[in-house]
Structures are given as structure tokens and as C-alpha cells.
């Protein structure tokens, strides 16, 4: 397994960010504080009310989605199966989760209580009935993906009078989080490098999101530590094993296929955003390594040529079968393929941090307005991200960077005054015109590489993940 070595901080052109406060040092979690803070929700509502672009287009995309309707009725199951077992009913879960999230988000932006009531009814129905997520190895994907999404939907209605917060916390902490936590510890009793990057990342997202939702500091600390130093391919140094002297960071799964690479970038962005909203800066970790990986995937997905250093990973079960697989080049891409992942990442680096990011800027503009579950096809891959980033993450450039928006909120646009319809309206136009901006300023170091093999993971079940 290739691992980049010799990283030096302080590369020219990268903004210096104050360290975010560590929750381990004390302090309570901010709520709401997963993908959206109270300030974020106020900004969305104010911008849409004022008719500001591109927020209105983003909200129209949300309102048109069939999952975002207040007439949605939940169909909870006692056991959810994915990959094996009967019935294969995991689609029922992800459709209901997206309905809960979209209705909750629509309530916060549009103000109609019927949408909050619908989200609460869906979540309460599932927490009253679900007892297990089961199946093949794919059960870990179901637990990770739908666990982090459930936590985000529930976080948006946690203060609703009819929401059974304690029962939802129990469901997440007993049904979803243990599977994800166990996967990160044991990788289904397989060699750790057998499982591709996104398997770890969905488990990491679930552990982090449920930890925050359930106010479990130890769980959050485990997730953050794994992001930084985990043995699996989802930790940042393994997901982005090589950084090149042009500032691009090779995304490991680019050697697999485009769909899984997009999934992985979206999941890592989700992980970083949830951590950021609790005062933990992982976007900037290891000299903004994620920025370099996201820029690489954006350029590649736009049809650009990217380097790829061949690597060989071990596969197999501990004490059982074994083998290897080599990825030698970046896979072919379809420039028309997209997922609702880019607005969140581009806005963090270009708006919060004020960094140039050529390819993120271009692909975010091309993908707007981003939709959500139900807008990207009927299969499970179209439901792996919660989406609606044009509405949720478009922001004005931050004059004074705050690494912890939830813990140190800035005034909302409504309280700041001014023409809300004008502010932010040029974001997409400006981004679309930025094709000639240099991705990162000079001074990045060409990293030495060395081979390193880890033990761990089984990825035998056919799966879209």
C-alpha cells in the first residue's frame, strides 16, 4: 500500500487556520450541529425568503422532490436486510430516511410545520420498530450510510415536542453505531486493505454522526482518531496516498471506478463538515490534504488527465484465503456523471477559507443546483448522499475565518442587514468563470513514496459501494 511521506506544513498559497477547539478538552456539543448549524439554517431561510440566487434554485429542487412532501408515510421494518437475508428491504429504509431529512430541511427553510411533523412521524415510526440491520458484509454499508443519514435527519427535529429523542438515540446507539464501530475495529475479520476506501468512510460517518447526536464524546474521539491515523483505507493518508508536486492528491479509488471515487469524496466531505461544526478542523488536517484529493477527483471527473501511482493491496480473510489486486491507472470517466457532493466542499475551501480551487469551483458550478435522494436514479447509489448542497452550503466569502461556526456563530444574514437577494447571487457565475485560476499556489513539496502493506478486510459481496 502506497503511503505519502515527508509532508511539510506551511506550503505557500495555503491559508493558515486557527486550530479548532478540541471537545476532548471539555465543552458540550452544539445542536443542531451535524451537517447544518442553527446559523446555516437561518441563512438558508433568509436567502430563500429574499429570493436570492442560487438558493432559490436549490430550494426549488428540494420542494420538487417526491420525498420532500408532507404526505409521505413511513414503512418501518423490524429487520433491515442488505446483501443477504429476506426480504431485501433496505430500499424501504433509505427512502424513508431521505423523506425525513428532506421534510425536516424543508421545514427549516420554508417554515411549514407540516413538514416537521412528517419528519418526526417517520423517525418515530422507525425507532419504535427497528431492531436490527442484517445481511452479508453489505450490512456494514447499510449501517454506515443510513446511520449517518438518520442522525442528520433527527438532528434537525431533535427539539420538536413530539419527537422521541431518547428512543431515536437508543436506536442509533444500539442498531447502527455498533456495526460501524465493529467494522472499523475488525473489518469483518478480513485483511484491512481488502475493503476499499468508501467502506471505512461510511462507517466513520456513522460513528461520528451518532456520537454527536447521542452526546458521546468518546465515540466522536474514536472517529476523529481513525480519520487521522486509522489502519484502513478510509483514513486520510490511505485514501489519498500520494500528493504530487502540482498540488493534486491521488484518490485511491480513482484506480477502481468513478462512481466509488465520487462516493468516497462525498463521504469524506460529510465527515469533515460534521466535525467542523463541532469545532474540529479536519478539512485542514495534514496541510489540507483533503483539498488536494478533492481537486484531483474533480479534475479527473471533468475529463482532465491525472497522474496515478500504481499500488497493490492485499485481499483476503484473516487465517483464510488471500490474494492481491493492483490498480495501475486512473479509470475511465464519464464527464456527465455527477453526485450532490461538490457545493459543500467547494464552499468550505473557497468561501470559508478563501483558497483557490480551480476544479472544485468548476465542477460545483456544473453540478448546480444540487438535488438529493431521488434525483440521481432509483438505485441505492443515488441515495448515498443527502445532497441539496446548493441550498445548504452556498455561502458568502468569510472575512474572518471561524473554525467552529456552531460554537462561535457569526450573525445570520437576516441580522446583518443589506440586500439578501444580492448577496451570494454571483457565487455560481463567479465559480463558472474561474476555470483559469491556478488550483493551488506554488511551494507544495513533491512527496517521497514508500511501499507499505497493512493487514485487514473482505470485499467479496457484489455491492454498489
Amino acid at each position: 500500500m502506497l503511503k505519502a511521506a515527508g509532508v511539510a506544513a506551511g506550503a505557500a498559497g495555503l491559508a493558515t487556520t486557527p486550530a479548532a477547539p478540541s471537545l476532548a478538552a471539555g465543552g458540550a456539543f452544539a445542536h443542531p450541529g451535524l451537517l447544518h448549524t442553527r446559523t446555516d439554517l437561518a441563512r438558508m431561510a433568509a436567502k430563500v425568503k429574499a429570493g436570492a440566487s442560487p438558493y432559490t434554485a436549490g430550494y426549488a429542487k428540494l420542494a420538487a422532490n417526491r420525498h420532500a412532501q408532507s404526505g409521505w408515510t413511513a414503512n418501518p421494518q423490524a429487520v433491515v436486510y442488505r446483501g443477504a437475508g429476506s426480504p431485501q428491504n433496505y430500499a424501504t429504509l433509505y427512502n424513508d430516511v431521505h423523506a425525513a431529512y428532506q421534510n425536516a430541511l424543508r421545514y427549516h427553510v420554508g417554515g411549514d410545520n407540516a413538514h416537521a411533523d412528517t419528519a418526526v412521524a417517520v423517525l418515530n415510526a422507525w425507532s419504535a420498530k427497528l431492531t436490527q440491520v442484517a445481511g452479508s458484509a453489505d450490512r456494514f454499508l447499510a449501517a454506515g450510510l443510513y446511520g449517518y443519514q438518520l442522525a442528520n435527519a433527527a438532528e434537525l427535529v431533535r427539539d420538536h415536542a413530539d419527537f422521541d429523542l431518547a428512543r431515536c438515540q437508543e436506536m442509533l446507539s444500539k442498531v447502527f453505531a455498533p456495526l460501524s464501530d465493529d467494522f472499523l475495529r475488525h473489518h469483518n475479520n478480513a485483511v484491512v486493505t481488502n475493503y476499499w476506501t468508501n467502506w471505512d468512510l461510511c462507517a466513520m460517518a456513522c460513528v461520528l454522526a451518532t456520537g454527536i447526536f447521542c452526546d458521546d464524546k468518546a465515540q466522536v474521539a474514536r472517529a476523529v482518531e481513525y480519520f487521522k491515523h486509522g489502519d484502513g483505507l478510509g483514513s486520510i493518508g490511505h485514501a489519498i496516498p500520494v500528493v504530487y508536486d502540482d498540488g493534486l492528491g491521488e484518490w485511491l479509488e480513482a484506480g477502481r471506478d468513478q462512481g466509488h471515487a465520487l462516493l468516497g469524496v462525498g463521504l469524506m466531505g460529510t465527515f469533515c463538515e460534521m466535525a467542523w461544526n463541532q469545532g474540529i478542523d479536519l478539512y485542514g488536517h495534514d496541510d489540507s490534504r483533503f483539498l488536494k484529493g478533492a481537486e484531483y477527483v474533480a479534475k479527473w471527473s471533468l475529463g482532465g488527465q491525472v497522474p496515478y501511482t500504481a499500488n497493490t493491496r492485499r485481499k483476503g480473510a484473516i487465517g483464510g484465503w488471500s490474494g492481491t489486486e493492483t490498480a495501475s491507472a486512473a479509470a475511465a470517466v464519464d464527464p456527465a456523471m455527477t453526485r450532490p457532493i461538490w457545493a459543500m466542499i467547494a464552499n468550505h475551501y473557497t468561501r470559508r477559507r478563501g483558497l483557490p480551487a480551480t476544479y472544485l469551483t468548476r465542477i460545483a458550478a456544473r453540478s448546480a443546483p444540487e438535488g438529493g435522494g431521488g434525483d440521481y436514479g432509483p438505485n441505492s447509489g443515488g441515495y448515498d448522499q443527502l445532497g441539496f448542497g446548493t441550498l445548504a452550503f452556498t455561502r458568502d466569502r468569510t472575512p474572518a475565518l471561524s473554525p467552529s461556526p456552531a460554537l462561535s456563530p457569526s450573525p445570520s444574514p437576516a441580522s446583518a442587514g443589506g440586500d439578501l437577494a444580492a448577496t451570494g447571487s454571483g457565487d455560481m457565475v463567479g465559480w463558472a468563470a474561474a476555470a483559469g485560476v491556478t488550483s493551488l499556489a506554488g511551494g507544495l513539496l513533491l512527496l517521497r513514496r514508500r511501499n507499505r502493506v497493512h493487514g485487514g478486510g473482505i470485499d467479496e459481496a457484489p455491492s454498489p459501494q
Side-chain angles (χ1 to χ4, degrees):
M1 193 59 238
L2 289 173
K3 180 177 174 66
V7 176
L14 294 180
T16 301
T17 305
S22 171
L23 285 169
F29 288 102
H31 295 295
L34 289 176
L35 285 175
H36 315 301
T37 67
R38 199 170 303 280
T39 299
D40 293 334
L41 296 168
R43 179 186 67 248
M44 294 178 226
K47 293 284 193 179
V48 170
K49 183 177 180 180
S53 175
Y55 303 88
T56 51
Y59 185 67
K61 195 80 172 176
L62 171 63
N65 194 299
R66 71 183 184 91
H67 296 79
Q69 310 311 310
S70 60
W72 187 277
T73 301
N75 183 23
Q77 307 292 309
V79 180
V80 166
Y81 296 96
R82 178 165 176 168
S86 181
Q88 286 282 308
N89 58 356
Y90 64 99
T92 302
L93 175 57
Y94 66 66
N95 275 282
D96 276 359
V97 171
H98 282 261
Y101 172 76
Q102 290 180 26
N103 272 279
L105 187 61
R106 191 170 176 185
Y107 158 70
H108 280 285
V109 178
D112 186 343
N113 289 329
H115 292 293
D117 295 342
T118 298
V120 167
V122 171
L123 294 165
N124 282 349
W126 277 93
S127 67
K129 189 165 185 177
L130 183 66
T131 61
Q132 185 182 8
V133 174
S136 66
D138 286 7
R139 70 190 183 277
F140 295 111
L141 297 173
L145 291 167
Y146 315 137
Y148 95 76
Q149 293 172 358
L150 265 167
N152 270 277
E155 184 78 349
L156 293 178
V157 295
R158 67 182 295 134
D159 295 329
H160 192 286
D162 296 329
F163 178 54
D164 196 328
L165 174 62
R167 194 172 70 199
C168 190
Q169 288 177 322
E170 182 178 19
M171 174 182 66
L172 286 166
S173 63
K174 292 186 176 180
V175 176
F176 291 91
L179 276 172
S180 292
D181 214 348
D182 183 74
F183 182 82
L184 295 177
R185 294 173 186 270
H186 304 295
H187 289 87
N188 201 26
N189 296 317
V191 292
V192 70
T193 52
N194 185 75
Y195 281 106
W196 282 101
T197 298
N198 64 87
W199 287 77
D200 266 6
L201 282 169
C202 69
M204 292 158 59
C206 177
V207 172
L208 180 66
T210 57
I212 293 169
F213 181 73
C214 299
D215 295 302
D216 187 332
K217 291 184 180 180
Q219 186 170 317
V220 170
R222 289 198 304 274
V224 171
E225 174 62 18
Y226 196 95
F227 174 91
K228 294 179 178 179
H229 305 297
D231 288 334
L233 299 184
S235 61
I236 190 164
H238 293 113
I240 308 169
V242 182
V243 172
Y244 296 97
D245 58 353
D246 62 357
L248 296 179
E250 178 176 303
W251 189 264
L252 181 68
E253 283 196 281
R256 183 185 186 190
D257 61 57
Q258 184 184 8
H260 289 99
L262 292 174
L263 169 60
V265 170
L267 288 169
M268 187 170 284
T270 294
F271 191 92
C272 289
E273 184 70 16
M274 294 188 297
W276 175 272
N277 286 334
Q278 296 299 332
I280 305 166
D281 181 14
L282 300 178
Y283 277 117
H285 177 71
D286 195 7
D287 202 22
S288 296
R289 195 180 190 95
F290 178 48
L291 169 60
K292 299 163 191 174
E295 277 275 271
Y296 176 100
V297 174
K299 179 181 180 181
W300 171 62
S301 293
L302 288 165
Q305 294 296 312
V306 293
Y308 192 90
T309 301
N311 65 84
T312 299
R313 64 189 184 97
R314 289 182 57 206
K315 300 173 64 177
I318 295 174
W321 72 276
S322 64
T324 61
E325 181 179 14
T326 298
S328 57
V333 298
D334 175 3
M337 181 185 291
T338 190
R339 286 291 184 268
I341 63 175
W342 298 112
M344 175 175 61
I345 303 167
N347 270 280
H348 173 80
Y349 286 114
T350 68
R351 299 292 167 182
R352 278 194 186 131
R353 279 207 153 96
L355 294 172
T358 302
Y359 304 109
L360 285 172
T361 294
R362 289 173 57 190
I363 204 166
R366 191 196 68 175
S367 302
E370 289 182 351
D375 291 322
Y376 297 88
N379 298 325
S380 62
Y383 292 82
D384 288 344
Q385 286 88 27
L386 290 169
F388 302 105
T390 305
L391 168 66
F393 302 109
T394 299
R395 61 185 74 246
D396 299 319
R397 192 176 298 277
T398 304
L401 181 70
S402 168
S404 175
L407 300 181
S408 304
S410 57
S412 69
S415 64
D419 182 1
L420 286 170
T423 58
S425 62
D427 286 355
M428 292 302 162
V429 175
W431 284 10
V437 178
T438 302
S439 167
L440 289 172
L444 295 172
L445 299 180
L446 176 62
L447 302 179
R448 293 184 296 109
R449 298 184 294 273
R450 60 184 173 88
N451 290 326
R452 180 179 176 186
V453 179
H454 290 277
I458 296 178
D459 190 2
E460 289 304 288
S463 166
Q465 266 51 53

